[in-house]
Amino acid sequence: MADVFRGLNLLETLKESIDNNKLSEVKDTVEDLLISRINLAVLGDREVGKATLINSLCGLGPGDDGAAPSPSPVSPEELASYPNPKHPDFRLWDLPPVPLNSPFEPEGYIERVKFLRYNAVFMTFTQTPHPNAVKVFLEARSLQRQTVYFILLASDKDTEKSLEEQRKASVEALKSQDVAQPKIYLVRPSTLEKFDFPGLLEDIGRDLPEIRAHALLLALPTLTSTLVTQKKDAFKALVWAAASLSGGVSAIPVPFVASMVDSSVAMRILTKAQLSLCLDNESVERLARQRGIEPSRLKGLRTCELSVEVTKGEVKKRLAAAEKELATISSKFVQMAMPRHARSVSRSFAAMLQALNGAIDEMAGDAEKIVAAALGEEK
């Protein structure tokens, strides 16, 4: 599995909770992943680059519904909120720029913008970080908030040489203001797959609590094939947890599901997967527009029926097919795969695991083809 966002660790954590009979923890984790509850704030001057970054994090273009406008209609002192249209609980916050006055009290700014309620904060700039912004960063670190990152926004006019010179000057400026081991991420808002954004995601994945890191992963657009793989791993951990709860329902009552026959859990997971992998028509059309590609070309790459539309009929058909195929699966293999408490109802566990994992593999395969075509990386 991919190292970023620790998909394997999540699965191991879920297995440990199941084996220790902490089913409520597993249920909460499943809900968190399905909802993708995360608050991400972007701090800095309200300019085109900042709005583009916020929109790119949601997979939106400047003219799309729900996109952050530029120039911003919000007054310089106010917060602006932009919920992701596909993942409403993934909320982007546009924080007002740090005041440039002197003397400046960072504590007042932190309290005013509710700085500590965000899971992560991107402190953006285009030249070098202002000293008052650095004071906010240092104050946040003193309050044990580690998920604050300096981001140098690159424009299309910047050259790699000029950007590296700006990065070097900014690092020196941070050192002069007592920032220990400063790190600056170079990000081009319109094409997040370039420069340092993948590395930034890797660092966020290490810094955030594990469940929040996965929630962020599932809410982000499919920027690269690596992200598709990471999403697939996370969904397989989610499938295992849901199958374990379903499989254990007759042994230990769990209010999360009624029975294996009820396909509502599978519907929720696969609907979430379709949206997370950006396979729905609206996401594919938007990506095609952004990359100057004929939408029908990207749509035609979807070979899995669930990539196009998640229907109850298709989900039930796959669950029923998995039930029939269980006779060909070694009972010893099933016993090894499932949690101890669910082994008395192995058929439910194995059917959901087999049906949903197969669907996730097919959908991820479609997503990989679409990403490769959009980035011009087709084989």
Side-chain angles (χ1 to χ4, degrees), residues 156-204:
D156 294 335
K157 298 178 181 178
D158 293 316
T159 65
E160 289 192 26
K161 182 180 179 181
S162 67
L163 289 169
E164 286 304 327
E165 289 173 352
Q166 289 181 53
R167 191 209 301 261
K168 184 177 180 180
S170 298
V171 167
E172 294 303 318
L174 294 178
K175 286 180 179 178
S176 70
Q177 296 174 76
D178 300 322
V179 177
Q181 297 180 318
K183 189 167 186 178
I184 292 175
Y185 301 88
L186 177 58
V187 173
R188 176 165 285 163
S190 59
T191 50
L192 293 182
E193 71 275 7
K194 298 184 181 297
F195 296 130
D196 297 335
F197 189 75
L200 172 60
L201 286 185
E202 189 171 348
D203 288 345
I204 294 175

Side-chain angles (χ1 to χ4, degrees), residues 32-275:
D32 274 340
L33 289 174
L34 284 172
I35 293 172
S36 296
R37 189 179 290 112
I38 191 94
N39 285 288
L40 181 61
V42 183
L43 183 156
D45 291 336
R46 284 178 168 146
E47 45 150 7
V48 175
K50 185 184 184 185
T52 302
L53 174 61
I54 290 172
N55 292 333
S56 293
L57 290 168
C58 292
L60 299 175
D64 295 327
D65 290 340
S70 183
S72 174
V74 181
S75 70
E77 298 79 20
E78 293 180 358
L79 300 171
S81 174
Y82 298 97
N84 187 312
K86 299 293 183 183
H87 308 278
D89 285 281
F90 174 38
R91 191 172 290 269
L92 274 294
W93 295 85
D94 180 359
L95 302 191
V98 175
L100 307 182
N101 58 288
S102 181
F104 169 72
E105 296 296 333
E107 298 89 345
Y109 177 85
I110 284 176
E111 182 177 353
R112 179 165 65 87
V113 303
K114 301 177 174 59
F115 198 95
L116 299 181
R117 78 176 175 183
Y118 311 112
N119 300 106
V121 178
F122 293 167
M123 303 189 74
T124 65
F125 62 96
T126 55
Q127 296 298 323
T128 57
H130 191 273
N132 286 355
V134 179
K135 289 179 181 178
V136 171
F137 175 86
L138 292 172
E139 179 64 19
R141 286 299 176 96
S142 74
L143 297 173
Q144 305 302 311
R145 179 51 58 94
Q146 302 300 314
T147 53
V148 184
Y149 309 92
F150 284 111
I151 294 181
L152 171 57
L153 296 179
S155 72
D156 294 335
K157 298 178 181 178
D158 293 316
T159 65
E160 289 192 26
K161 182 180 179 181
S162 67
L163 289 169
E164 286 304 327
E165 289 173 352
Q166 289 181 53
R167 191 209 301 261
K168 184 177 180 180
S170 298
V171 167
E172 294 303 318
L174 294 178
K175 286 180 179 178
S176 70
Q177 296 174 76
D178 300 322
V179 177
Q181 297 180 318
K183 189 167 186 178
I184 292 175
Y185 301 88
L186 177 58
V187 173
R188 176 165 285 163
S190 59
T191 50
L192 293 182
E193 71 275 7
K194 298 184 181 297
F195 296 130
D196 297 335
F197 189 75
L200 172 60
L201 286 185
E202 189 171 348
D203 288 345
I204 294 175
R206 285 192 291 263
D207 297 339
L208 279 176
E210 189 174 26
I211 189 63
R212 291 291 157 254
H214 278 81
L216 176 61
L217 166 68
L218 297 187
L220 287 172
T222 49
L223 303 168
T224 64
S225 58
T226 300
L227 266 178
V228 173
T229 300
Q230 292 160 5
K231 286 172 182 275
K232 179 174 71 172
D233 291 341
F235 273 109
K236 287 197 170 184
L238 173 58
V239 165
W240 188 93
S244 298
L245 292 174
S246 179
V249 70
S250 64
I252 303 174
V254 181
F256 183 62
V257 288
S259 69
M260 181 56 215
V261 177
D262 186 353
S263 60
S264 61
V265 179
M267 281 286 295
R268 288 185 68 196
I269 291 174
L270 294 177
T271 299
K272 177 73 174 182
Q274 187 209 30
L275 295 177

Side-chain angles (χ1 to χ4, degrees), residues 10-18 22-34 211 233-249 254 256-257 265 269 337-339 341-342 348-349 352-353 356-357:
L10 175 63
L11 184 56
E12 292 304 315
T13 300
L14 289 169
K15 286 183 176 179
E16 184 178 346
S17 296
I18 286 284
K22 297 179 180 178
L23 300 184
S24 62
E25 292 183 4
V26 179
K27 174 184 176 294
D28 289 343
T29 298
V30 170
E31 284 297 319
D32 274 340
L33 289 174
L34 284 172
I211 189 63
D233 291 341
F235 273 109
K236 287 197 170 184
L238 173 58
V239 165
W240 188 93
S244 298
L245 292 174
S246 179
V249 70
V254 181
F256 183 62
V257 288
V265 179
I269 291 174
M338 70 179 56
H341 86 272
S348 293
F349 173 87
M352 180 173 275
L353 196 69
L356 269 63
N357 274 352

